[in-house]
Amino acid sequence: MDHFDKHLLYIYTGAVVHNVVLFQEQIKENIMSFDMFLGIHDLIVHNYGPGRCFASVHIEVPEDINTLYCHELIDATEIEIKEKLQIEIVIHMDPICINDENLTRTKKAVAAKLLEWNEKITIHDFRMVLGENRTNLVFDIVIPHELSHLPQSEIKTMVDMLVKEIDSRYFSVIQIDYDYT
C-alpha cells in the first residue's frame, strides 16, 4: 500500500466514524420524538460498510405503561428508523419507576455525588432494594473515556464510598458500562 492508498483509507475510515456519530444523533432524535419514551442509553451502532448498519438501544419507559401499547410503539420506532436511516435496529425496553419520590430523590443524590467525582459520569436503570438495616442501590454507571483505565474494583470502591456519604446504609450494586462516543 503506497502513501496515496493509506491517505484514502484514512479518509474513508473517518467518513465511516462520522456517519456512525450522525446515525447516533438521528436515532436519539427519532426515539425521543415519542412522548412515552423517557430516555435512552446503551446505544450501539455497528457500521459494516455501505448499507450495512445495525444498531441496538435501550429505551426507558414508565413502569406502568401498557406493554402491548409499548411494544407497538417500539415496533413503529424500529420501522421508522429503518425507513429513514436504512439501519436495522433492535430496541430493548427498560421500565423505570417515575412515581416513587424516595427513589427519584435518591437517584438524583447519587447522580450528583458521582458528578462531583467526574462531570461526565451518568447512571441509568436505577433501582432500590430496601432492607431493614441496609438498602441496595442497583444501577448501571457509564464511565467516560478518561476514567476507562481504572480497574473495575477501584471504580466500585469509589462508588461505594460516594453512596455511603449520602447514607451509611446504602450499598451499591453496579454494572459498569463504558462511554465509547
Side-chain angles (χ1 to χ4, degrees), residues 93-131:
M93 175 185 73
D94 278 338
I96 61 169
C97 180
I98 59 172
N99 298 316
D100 182 329
E101 290 180 23
N102 184 41
L103 182 124
T104 301
R105 185 176 45 256
T106 304
K107 179 182 178 183
K108 285 181 181 178
V110 170
K113 195 54 93 168
L114 292 171
L115 287 174
E116 291 175 12
W117 178 27
N118 183 287
E119 64 186 18
K120 294 180 184 175
I121 288 178
T122 61
I123 61 174
H124 58 267
D125 291 345
F126 192 89
R127 302 176 299 289
M128 293 176 69
V129 181
L130 302 173

Side-chain angles (χ1 to χ4, degrees), residues 111-175:
K113 195 54 93 168
L114 292 171
L115 287 174
E116 291 175 12
W117 178 27
N118 183 287
E119 64 186 18
K120 294 180 184 175
I121 288 178
T122 61
I123 61 174
H124 58 267
D125 291 345
F126 192 89
R127 302 176 299 289
M128 293 176 69
V129 181
L130 302 173
E132 211 171 291
N133 299 313
R134 67 184 274 160
T135 297
N136 286 339
L137 305 180
V138 184
F139 58 95
D140 291 11
I141 180 171
V142 181
I143 300 297
H145 178 71
E146 60 264 22
L147 297 180
S148 63
H149 67 282
L150 294 175
Q152 288 196 359
S153 59
E154 191 173 323
I155 293 169
K156 289 180 179 191
T157 299
M158 178 60 91
V159 171
D160 280 334
M161 183 186 75
L162 292 169
V163 300
K164 285 187 182 310
E165 288 178 11
I166 300 167
D167 188 317
S168 62
R169 295 171 295 151
Y170 287 169
F171 288 80
S172 63
V173 180
I174 62 171
Q175 172 65 42

Side-chain angles (χ1 to χ4, degrees), residues 9-141:
L9 179 63
Y10 174 75
I11 291 171
Y12 177 73
T13 303
V16 170
V17 170
H18 175 72
N19 285 343
V20 168
V21 172
L22 181 63
F23 283 148
Q24 287 175 327
E25 291 306 314
Q26 291 172 329
I27 290 168
K28 286 179 190 176
E29 286 175 19
N30 189 283
I31 290 171
M32 294 312 297
S33 71
F34 288 82
D35 290 338
M36 277 296 165
F37 300 155
L38 304 174
I40 72 167
H41 57 270
D42 294 343
L43 172 59
I44 301 172
V45 178
H46 302 272
N47 188 330
Y48 300 109
R52 299 180 65 204
C53 284
F54 180 83
S56 62
V57 66
H58 292 211
I59 60 163
E60 297 171 347
V61 298
E63 68 179 345
D64 57 356
I65 191 171
N66 177 295
T67 54
L68 292 176
Y69 174 65
C70 186
H71 192 273
E72 183 180 317
L73 286 178
I74 289 171
D75 284 348
T77 305
E78 289 171 339
I79 290 167
E80 190 173 306
I81 289 171
K82 182 176 182 177
E83 288 173 356
K84 282 183 178 177
L85 303 174
Q86 288 73 53
I87 297 175
E88 294 288 337
I89 188 164
V90 174
I91 298 175
H92 171 82
M93 175 185 73
D94 278 338
I96 61 169
C97 180
I98 59 172
N99 298 316
D100 182 329
E101 290 180 23
N102 184 41
L103 182 124
T104 301
R105 185 176 45 256
T106 304
K107 179 182 178 183
K108 285 181 181 178
V110 170
K113 195 54 93 168
L114 292 171
L115 287 174
E116 291 175 12
W117 178 27
N118 183 287
E119 64 186 18
K120 294 180 184 175
I121 288 178
T122 61
I123 61 174
H124 58 267
D125 291 345
F126 192 89
R127 302 176 299 289
M128 293 176 69
V129 181
L130 302 173
E132 211 171 291
N133 299 313
R134 67 184 274 160
T135 297
N136 286 339
L137 305 180
V138 184
F139 58 95
D140 291 11
I141 180 171

